Amino acid sequence: MRCGVSEVLAVSLLGGLLSLEHRAELRFMVSQPVCSGLLTGLILGSPAAGLFIGAMFQVMFLGFVPIKSEGVPDLTIGGVAASAYYILSVQRIGGGSVLTGIILFCALLFGLAISLLGCSLYRFWEKRTWTFFEAATASAMAGRFRYARAIHLMILAFHFLYGFLVLFALVPAGTAIIAFVAARVGVEPGGSMNALQYLVPFIGAGSLARLYFVRSRAFWFGAGFLVTYLFFIVRS
Amino acid sequence: MWRSHLNHLWRLFLLHGSRNERTIDGLGFYHAISPELDAWSEEDYEMREAVRRHMGYFNANPIITSYILGAVINMERRRRRGEGVDSAYIERMKSTLSAVLTAKGDYFFSVVLLPLGLTIACIFAMYSWYLGPVIFLALYNYFHLQARIGGYLIGVRLGEGLGNKYIRHIFREQGFLGGCAAFSAGVFSALVLVRAGSYGGLRLSGWGIAAVVAFLVLRRKMSMILSVIIVFIVSAAYLLLI
């Protein structure tokens, strides 16, 4: 089954809107991967898979606090792309339990690569937007105030277009590559990759531990850990 | 009056759109305050002078900016009425409020509220419960909208002197929520360990703990995204090899 144009178009539109939400700092947080994954799943007719892959992508960045000097990964587009890759690839090749592990790995890896690409691109973009600002200042000083404001709104269109075009170009290509890889991976290595969903959350646990140990919240972190762990020990 | 407030508020939500390295959110701030300037500037020269001031360097937490914008509008109105407020004072208050309130806002929203909501959402999502994202969005936006809309209205009505009071009002639950965030992070970590143990036994849990240690070591040397990618690929390679 090939990915349909309408599906790719719908995912790209969602990506464009969420990219706008993320970059303009609307801050409703719908663009966080755990939410955007669910939305992607709803669009592609597989909300459970969307929520699952969105959460897998999100857990890797749970304790991430953006610092000005550090590039901010584009989790929004990465999350939507990872969810779309996973759902479309599973739909395309049937995705028995043996293959879902390798599809999960490829989808998350491609999503991470897109996040890294977005991070680099936006660093470059923020250096170049100065020219737009200069044009807006010149317009305002010449008394064309509406034009200055239009430049601000026009830049917002760039954020939408970035999300839309990246997904429109990369979703079909990535899905085809994942399907190709998954079809050539043997049953044994493919099966062993199913454990990836249990390993990935450890990255999130690490980033949360880092966040709360340096923020002198270690007591509550330890309390939460011990209470939950003891609960499972007693129950078993 | 409400029409004027709405005109400012929707613009506040698009503040960061034209972020650049030199003036950061200068253009965004001008866009947000522009309806006010349009309303009172009869003389072209005065308008240009105000636009030049408000298009300058501006760097603040986008949520806290709502209070700063409200306070600046309040001061500009007092300046117009000749109540002893001049342009230099407005500029000074704007940069002081940005510096002081941004640190508090960034801490509350990025270090306390966001990880708390996302951790809860991910715990639910790991067990395929759709409720997780809903709880996250409700929790975050309760504080977000309260700070954004409420902050703007406090600023417009009461002016620049209420920075501390505003912060105390909006962030009064910060200590409690911070404890909850750390506690939920502990719960999440324990669940991750239990799930890995029940699926792959001690070997998988052991590798998971090694991944945590590797991540913490890498994170000291490199960016978040690169640390994540390296640990992710190494973990996948380990699974292929065992």
Side-chain angles (χ1 to χ4, degrees):
Chain A
M1 195 172 105
R2 286 180 174 280
C3 27
V5 177
S6 58
E7 287 169 324
V8 176
L9 204 61
V11 169
S12 307
L13 277 172
L14 175 73
L17 290 172
L18 293 178
S19 181
L20 185 64
E21 200 260 1
H22 171 58
R23 291 291 167 187
E25 297 272 12
L26 268 75
R27 291 240 180 170
F28 292 114
M29 290 298 159
V30 189
S31 56
Q32 290 292 332
V34 70
C35 301
S36 64
L38 178 59
L39 291 175
T40 310
L42 283 168
I43 283 177
L44 296 175
S46 188
L51 178 67
F52 165 69
I53 198 87
M56 282 293 121
F57 199 80
Q58 184 82 68
V59 292
M60 294 191 278
F61 296 92
L62 265 186
F64 176 58
V65 176
I67 302 166
K68 299 284 181 220
S69 58
E70 191 182 346
V72 180
D74 196 348
L75 299 187
T76 305
I77 299 302
V80 174
S83 307
Y85 285 144
Y86 183 80
I87 295 167
L88 291 173
S89 301
V90 168
Q91 284 175 358
R92 186 167 169 160
I93 59 175
S97 62
V98 171
L99 289 176
T100 47
I102 197 79
I103 295 173
L104 174 69
F105 168 71
C106 293
L108 289 177
L109 187 66
F110 284 16
L112 286 170
I114 289 174
S115 296
L116 187 63
L117 171 83
C119 173
S120 312
L121 191 130
Y122 267 99
R123 278 197 154 181
F124 176 79
W125 167 254
E126 282 183 3
K127 284 180 187 148
R128 292 292 177 275
T129 35
W130 173 245
T131 20
F132 291 101
F133 179 79
E134 274 181 334
T137 312
S139 308
M141 290 305 112
R144 297 195 300 269
F145 303 114
R146 277 176 191 276
Y147 188 67
R149 281 173 245 159
I151 289 176
H152 173 71
L153 293 175
M154 189 195 74
I155 297 172
L156 295 173
F158 168 82
H159 302 310
F160 174 82
L161 273 178
Y162 168 73
F164 179 84
L165 291 176
V166 165
L167 290 171
F168 195 73
L170 297 182
V171 165
T175 308
I177 293 170
I178 292 172
F180 178 81
V181 171
R184 269 148 192 81
V185 170
V187 171
E188 202 174 309
S192 67
M193 291 296 269
N194 282 343
L196 194 65
Q197 60 176 297
Y198 298 97
L199 268 186
V200 165
F202 276 100
I203 302 174
S207 66
L208 284 172
R210 184 175 186 269
L211 182 70
Y212 291 115
F213 273 100
V214 295
R215 298 277 171 187
S216 55
R217 302 251 188 226
F219 172 77
W220 288 110
F221 183 89
F225 184 88
L226 280 177
V227 166
T228 313
Y229 203 72
L230 287 174
F231 170 78
F232 277 98
I233 286 176
V234 169
R235 210 180 69 159
S236 65
Chain B
M1 181 57 84
W2 278 105
R3 195 184 168 87
S4 150
H5 289 328
L6 286 175
N7 247 336
H8 289 296
L9 279 169
W10 78 260
R11 285 173 161 85
L12 268 171
F13 282 93
L14 302 174
L15 187 89
H16 270 207
S18 56
R19 174 162 269 233
N20 63 79
E21 271 197 342
R22 296 195 206 174
T23 62
I24 313 293
D25 294 322
L27 185 55
F29 190 85
Y30 161 65
H31 182 249
I33 203 171
S34 58
E36 177 68 17
L37 303 184
D38 287 349
W40 56 250
S41 291
E42 293 118 27
E43 289 179 32
D44 199 33
Y45 169 76
E46 194 182 11
M47 176 78 157
R48 281 184 208 192
E49 197 273 329
V51 169
R52 187 191 53 74
R53 276 192 288 118
H54 292 304
M55 265 184 146
Y57 180 86
F58 182 74
N59 186 13
N61 177 290
I63 297 172
I64 298 301
T65 298
S66 55
Y67 169 71
I68 300 170
L69 177 76
V72 168
I73 290 173
N74 179 290
M75 287 186 281
E76 287 287 3
R77 284 177 185 169
R78 277 157 46 210
R79 186 178 74 83
R80 287 276 299 164
R81 292 197 296 265
E83 291 178 14
V85 176
D86 60 11
S87 307
Y89 176 78
I90 295 174
E91 279 303 289
R92 208 166 51 246
M93 284 313 298
K94 191 172 143 189
S95 60
T96 308
L97 286 173
S98 307
V100 175
L101 299 182
T102 293
K104 286 182 180 290
D106 280 349
Y107 181 77
F108 180 72
F109 286 103
S110 299
V111 180
V112 174
L113 197 57
L114 192 59
L116 169 65
L118 286 176
T119 308
I120 293 171
C122 286
I123 289 172
F124 278 86
M126 279 198 309
Y127 293 95
S128 303
W129 289 347
Y130 294 102
L131 202 58
V134 177
I135 292 174
F136 161 60
L137 290 176
L139 177 74
Y140 188 89
N141 284 308
Y142 169 73
F143 287 98
H144 162 224
L145 293 175
Q146 193 186 353
R148 235 182 199 170
I149 299 170
Y152 166 77
L153 293 174
I154 288 175
V156 170
R157 285 172 187 162
L158 304 169
E160 75 278 15
L162 285 169
N164 276 334
K165 210 172 177 180
Y166 161 69
I167 284 291
R168 274 203 299 276
H169 171 70
I170 300 290
F171 305 142
R172 59 185 181 274
E173 290 99 353
Q174 181 171 296
F176 172 70
L177 289 174
C180 290
F183 189 85
S184 63
V187 172
F188 173 80
S189 304
L191 286 175
V192 166
L193 197 63
V194 168
R195 268 164 49 94
S198 62
Y199 182 82
L202 271 178
R203 208 154 89 163
L204 195 64
S205 316
W207 179 260
I209 292 167
V212 169
V213 174
F215 175 80
L216 292 173
V217 172
L218 285 172
R219 192 68 185 92
R220 293 174 78 92
K221 302 279 178 202
M222 55 181 70
S223 69
M224 178 80 179
I225 181 102
L226 286 177
S227 311
V228 166
I229 289 175
I230 291 171
V231 176
F232 176 72
I233 290 175
V234 172
S235 299
Y238 162 79
L239 290 176
L240 277 174
L241 292 174
I242 57 166

PDB file of all heavy atoms in Angstrom, chain A residues 78-101:
ATOM      1  N   GLY A  78       9.740  16.824  14.296  1.00  0.00           N
ATOM      2  CA  GLY A  78      10.299  15.482  14.522  1.00  0.00           C
ATOM      3  C   GLY A  78       9.242  14.513  15.039  1.00  0.00           C
ATOM      4  O   GLY A  78       9.156  13.373  14.589  1.00  0.00           O
ATOM      5  N   GLY A  79       8.412  14.987  15.979  1.00  0.00           N
ATOM      6  CA  GLY A  79       7.371  14.136  16.567  1.00  0.00           C
ATOM      7  C   GLY A  79       6.302  13.754  15.554  1.00  0.00           C
ATOM      8  O   GLY A  79       5.884  12.590  15.473  1.00  0.00           O
ATOM      9  N   VAL A  80       5.859  14.737  14.765  1.00  0.00           N
ATOM     10  CA  VAL A  80       4.829  14.453  13.746  1.00  0.00           C
ATOM     11  C   VAL A  80       5.407  13.480  12.710  1.00  0.00           C
ATOM     12  O   VAL A  80       4.747  12.505  12.314  1.00  0.00           O
ATOM     13  CB  VAL A  80       4.346  15.751  13.053  1.00  0.00           C
ATOM     14  CG1 VAL A  80       3.401  15.434  11.909  1.00  0.00           C
ATOM     15  CG2 VAL A  80       3.664  16.669  14.044  1.00  0.00           C
ATOM     16  N   ALA A  81       6.665  13.742  12.296  1.00  0.00           N
ATOM     17  CA  ALA A  81       7.280  12.885  11.272  1.00  0.00           C
ATOM     18  C   ALA A  81       7.432  11.450  11.791  1.00  0.00           C
ATOM     19  O   ALA A  81       7.091  10.492  11.082  1.00  0.00           O
ATOM     20  CB  ALA A  81       8.644  13.453  10.886  1.00  0.00           C
ATOM     21  N   ALA A  82       7.928  11.304  13.029  1.00  0.00           N
ATOM     22  CA  ALA A  82       8.122   9.955  13.590  1.00  0.00           C
ATOM     23  C   ALA A  82       6.790   9.201  13.641  1.00  0.00           C
ATOM     24  O   ALA A  82       6.721   8.018  13.268  1.00  0.00           O
ATOM     25  CB  ALA A  82       8.744  10.056  14.982  1.00  0.00           C
ATOM     26  N   SER A  83       5.733   9.887  14.089  1.00  0.00           N
ATOM     27  CA  SER A  83       4.411   9.233  14.170  1.00  0.00           C
ATOM     28  C   SER A  83       3.923   8.828  12.788  1.00  0.00           C
ATOM     29  O   SER A  83       3.425   7.705  12.592  1.00  0.00           O
ATOM     30  CB  SER A  83       3.383  10.172  14.813  1.00  0.00           C
ATOM     31  OG  SER A  83       3.862  10.641  16.024  1.00  0.00           O
ATOM     32  N   ALA A  84       4.072   9.747  11.822  1.00  0.00           N
ATOM     33  CA  ALA A  84       3.606   9.452  10.457  1.00  0.00           C
ATOM     34  C   ALA A  84       4.408   8.289   9.864  1.00  0.00           C
ATOM     35  O   ALA A  84       3.826   7.391   9.240  1.00  0.00           O
ATOM     36  CB  ALA A  84       3.740  10.692   9.583  1.00  0.00           C
ATOM     37  N   TYR A  85       5.721   8.296  10.074  1.00  0.00           N
ATOM     38  CA  TYR A  85       6.559   7.202   9.550  1.00  0.00           C
ATOM     39  C   TYR A  85       6.096   5.863  10.100  1.00  0.00           C
ATOM     40  O   TYR A  85       5.959   4.887   9.370  1.00  0.00           O
ATOM     41  CB  TYR A  85       8.019   7.412   9.943  1.00  0.00           C
ATOM     42  CG  TYR A  85       8.738   8.474   9.163  1.00  0.00           C
ATOM     43  CD1 TYR A  85       9.688   9.291   9.765  1.00  0.00           C
ATOM     44  CD2 TYR A  85       8.481   8.677   7.804  1.00  0.00           C
ATOM     45  CE1 TYR A  85      10.354  10.276   9.056  1.00  0.00           C
ATOM     46  CE2 TYR A  85       9.132   9.655   7.088  1.00  0.00           C
ATOM     47  CZ  TYR A  85      10.071  10.453   7.722  1.00  0.00           C
ATOM     48  OH  TYR A  85      10.719  11.417   7.009  1.00  0.00           O
ATOM     49  N   TYR A  86       5.892   5.836  11.410  1.00  0.00           N
ATOM     50  CA  TYR A  86       5.530   4.571  12.055  1.00  0.00           C
ATOM     51  C   TYR A  86       4.182   4.061  11.546  1.00  0.00           C
ATOM     52  O   TYR A  86       4.072   2.918  11.095  1.00  0.00           O
ATOM     53  CB  TYR A  86       5.491   4.766  13.575  1.00  0.00           C
ATOM     54  CG  TYR A  86       5.198   3.506  14.347  1.00  0.00           C
ATOM     55  CD1 TYR A  86       6.195   2.574  14.591  1.00  0.00           C
ATOM     56  CD2 TYR A  86       3.925   3.247  14.829  1.00  0.00           C
ATOM     57  CE1 TYR A  86       5.929   1.409  15.299  1.00  0.00           C
ATOM     58  CE2 TYR A  86       3.640   2.093  15.533  1.00  0.00           C
ATOM     59  CZ  TYR A  86       4.643   1.178  15.769  1.00  0.00           C
ATOM     60  OH  TYR A  86       4.378   0.024  16.457  1.00  0.00           O
ATOM     61  N   ILE A  87       3.194   4.951  11.576  1.00  0.00           N
ATOM     62  CA  ILE A  87       1.836   4.511  11.213  1.00  0.00           C
ATOM     63  C   ILE A  87       1.769   4.118   9.725  1.00  0.00           C
ATOM     64  O   ILE A  87       1.251   3.055   9.379  1.00  0.00           O
ATOM     65  CB  ILE A  87       0.810   5.630  11.524  1.00  0.00           C
ATOM     66  CG1 ILE A  87       0.757   5.865  13.028  1.00  0.00           C
ATOM     67  CG2 ILE A  87      -0.579   5.261  11.006  1.00  0.00           C
ATOM     68  CD1 ILE A  87       0.042   7.131  13.442  1.00  0.00           C
ATOM     69  N   LEU A  88       2.343   4.968   8.861  1.00  0.00           N
ATOM     70  CA  LEU A  88       2.268   4.678   7.419  1.00  0.00           C
ATOM     71  C   LEU A  88       3.073   3.431   7.050  1.00  0.00           C
ATOM     72  O   LEU A  88       2.656   2.652   6.194  1.00  0.00           O
ATOM     73  CB  LEU A  88       2.753   5.895   6.616  1.00  0.00           C
ATOM     74  CG  LEU A  88       1.842   7.133   6.673  1.00  0.00           C
ATOM     75  CD1 LEU A  88       2.486   8.324   6.000  1.00  0.00           C
ATOM     76  CD2 LEU A  88       0.485   6.825   6.023  1.00  0.00           C
ATOM     77  N   SER A  89       4.227   3.239   7.723  1.00  0.00           N
ATOM     78  CA  SER A  89       5.036   2.053   7.412  1.00  0.00           C
ATOM     79  C   SER A  89       4.334   0.776   7.849  1.00  0.00           C
ATOM     80  O   SER A  89       4.338  -0.226   7.125  1.00  0.00           O
ATOM     81  CB  SER A  89       6.404   2.137   8.099  1.00  0.00           C
ATOM     82  OG  SER A  89       7.075   3.272   7.684  1.00  0.00           O
ATOM     83  N   VAL A  90       3.737   0.825   9.050  1.00  0.00           N
ATOM     84  CA  VAL A  90       3.007  -0.357   9.533  1.00  0.00           C
ATOM     85  C   VAL A  90       1.839  -0.667   8.592  1.00  0.00           C
ATOM     86  O   VAL A  90       1.595  -1.825   8.236  1.00  0.00           O
ATOM     87  CB  VAL A  90       2.530  -0.148  10.998  1.00  0.00           C
ATOM     88  CG1 VAL A  90       1.533  -1.227  11.403  1.00  0.00           C
ATOM     89  CG2 VAL A  90       3.717  -0.161  11.945  1.00  0.00           C
ATOM     90  N   GLN A  91       1.137   0.405   8.157  1.00  0.00           N
ATOM     91  CA  GLN A  91       0.014   0.191   7.220  1.00  0.00           C
ATOM     92  C   GLN A  91       0.521  -0.386   5.901  1.00  0.00           C
ATOM     93  O   GLN A  91      -0.120  -1.225   5.278  1.00  0.00           O
ATOM     94  CB  GLN A  91      -0.687   1.526   6.944  1.00  0.00           C
ATOM     95  CG  GLN A  91      -1.580   1.991   8.086  1.00  0.00           C
ATOM     96  CD  GLN A  91      -2.174   3.364   7.844  1.00  0.00           C
ATOM     97  OE1 GLN A  91      -1.907   4.009   6.832  1.00  0.00           O
ATOM     98  NE2 GLN A  91      -2.972   3.834   8.782  1.00  0.00           N
ATOM     99  N   ARG A  92       1.705   0.052   5.492  1.00  0.00           N
ATOM    100  CA  ARG A  92       2.216  -0.322   4.173  1.00  0.00           C
ATOM    101  C   ARG A  92       2.688  -1.772   4.115  1.00  0.00           C
ATOM    102  O   ARG A  92       2.428  -2.478   3.142  1.00  0.00           O
ATOM    103  CB  ARG A  92       3.372   0.614   3.821  1.00  0.00           C
ATOM    104  CG  ARG A  92       3.909   0.459   2.442  1.00  0.00           C
ATOM    105  CD  ARG A  92       4.797   1.620   2.122  1.00  0.00           C
ATOM    106  NE  ARG A  92       5.533   1.392   0.913  1.00  0.00           N
ATOM    107  CZ  ARG A  92       6.081   2.341   0.186  1.00  0.00           C
ATOM    108  NH1 ARG A  92       5.970   3.585   0.553  1.00  0.00           N
ATOM    109  NH2 ARG A  92       6.741   2.065  -0.902  1.00  0.00           N
ATOM    110  N   ILE A  93       3.412  -2.201   5.162  1.00  0.00           N
ATOM    111  CA  ILE A  93       3.973  -3.556   5.078  1.00  0.00           C
ATOM    112  C   ILE A  93       3.251  -4.560   5.968  1.00  0.00           C
ATOM    113  O   ILE A  93       3.697  -5.683   6.139  1.00  0.00           O
ATOM    114  CB  ILE A  93       5.474  -3.570   5.414  1.00  0.00           C
ATOM    115  CG1 ILE A  93       5.707  -3.022   6.813  1.00  0.00           C
ATOM    116  CG2 ILE A  93       6.283  -2.818   4.402  1.00  0.00           C
ATOM    117  CD1 ILE A  93       7.146  -3.115   7.243  1.00  0.00           C
ATOM    118  N   GLY A  94       2.169  -4.134   6.549  1.00  0.00           N
ATOM    119  CA  GLY A  94       1.412  -5.080   7.372  1.00  0.00           C
ATOM    120  C   GLY A  94       1.864  -5.070   8.818  1.00  0.00           C
ATOM    121  O   GLY A  94       1.066  -5.091   9.721  1.00  0.00           O
ATOM    122  N   GLY A  95       3.186  -5.010   9.036  1.00  0.00           N
ATOM    123  CA  GLY A  95       3.740  -4.817  10.380  1.00  0.00           C
ATOM    124  C   GLY A  95       3.330  -5.828  11.412  1.00  0.00           C
ATOM    125  O   GLY A  95       2.642  -5.516  12.376  1.00  0.00           O
ATOM    126  N   GLY A  96       3.758  -7.060  11.269  1.00  0.00           N
ATOM    127  CA  GLY A  96       3.553  -8.042  12.329  1.00  0.00           C
ATOM    128  C   GLY A  96       4.399  -7.670  13.530  1.00  0.00           C
ATOM    129  O   GLY A  96       5.214  -6.756  13.459  1.00  0.00           O
ATOM    130  N   SER A  97       4.208  -8.382  14.634  1.00  0.00           N
ATOM    131  CA  SER A  97       4.910  -8.005  15.865  1.00  0.00           C
ATOM    132  C   SER A  97       6.433  -8.041  15.701  1.00  0.00           C
ATOM    133  O   SER A  97       7.165  -7.345  16.385  1.00  0.00           O
ATOM    134  CB  SER A  97       4.484  -8.936  16.992  1.00  0.00           C
ATOM    135  OG  SER A  97       4.864 -10.253  16.659  1.00  0.00           O
ATOM    136  N   VAL A  98       6.919  -8.858  14.757  1.00  0.00           N
ATOM    137  CA  VAL A  98       8.358  -8.971  14.558  1.00  0.00           C
ATOM    138  C   VAL A  98       8.925  -7.691  13.942  1.00  0.00           C
ATOM    139  O   VAL A  98      10.030  -7.258  14.272  1.00  0.00           O
ATOM    140  CB  VAL A  98       8.662 -10.184  13.649  1.00  0.00           C
ATOM    141  CG1 VAL A  98      10.116 -10.205  13.239  1.00  0.00           C
ATOM    142  CG2 VAL A  98       8.305 -11.458  14.378  1.00  0.00           C
ATOM    143  N   LEU A  99       8.147  -7.079  13.060  1.00  0.00           N
ATOM    144  CA  LEU A  99       8.671  -5.938  12.314  1.00  0.00           C
ATOM    145  C   LEU A  99       8.464  -4.590  13.008  1.00  0.00           C
ATOM    146  O   LEU A  99       9.135  -3.619  12.688  1.00  0.00           O
ATOM    147  CB  LEU A  99       8.032  -5.891  10.922  1.00  0.00           C
ATOM    148  CG  LEU A  99       8.504  -6.991   9.973  1.00  0.00           C
ATOM    149  CD1 LEU A  99       7.735  -6.915   8.675  1.00  0.00           C
ATOM    150  CD2 LEU A  99       9.994  -6.878   9.703  1.00  0.00           C
ATOM    151  N   THR A 100       7.530  -4.531  13.958  1.00  0.00           N
ATOM    152  CA  THR A 100       7.230  -3.218  14.547  1.00  0.00           C
ATOM    153  C   THR A 100       8.446  -2.632  15.273  1.00  0.00           C
ATOM    154  O   THR A 100       8.602  -1.425  15.330  1.00  0.00           O
ATOM    155  CB  THR A 100       6.022  -3.285  15.510  1.00  0.00           C
ATOM    156  OG1 THR A 100       6.202  -4.397  16.361  1.00  0.00           O
ATOM    157  CG2 THR A 100       4.725  -3.383  14.759  1.00  0.00           C
ATOM    158  N   GLY A 101       9.298  -3.489  15.825  1.00  0.00           N
ATOM    159  CA  GLY A 101      10.497  -2.997  16.520  1.00  0.00           C
ATOM    160  C   GLY A 101      11.424  -2.248  15.590  1.00  0.00           C
ATOM    161  O   GLY A 101      11.877  -1.147  15.905  1.00  0.00           O
TER     162      GLY A 101
END
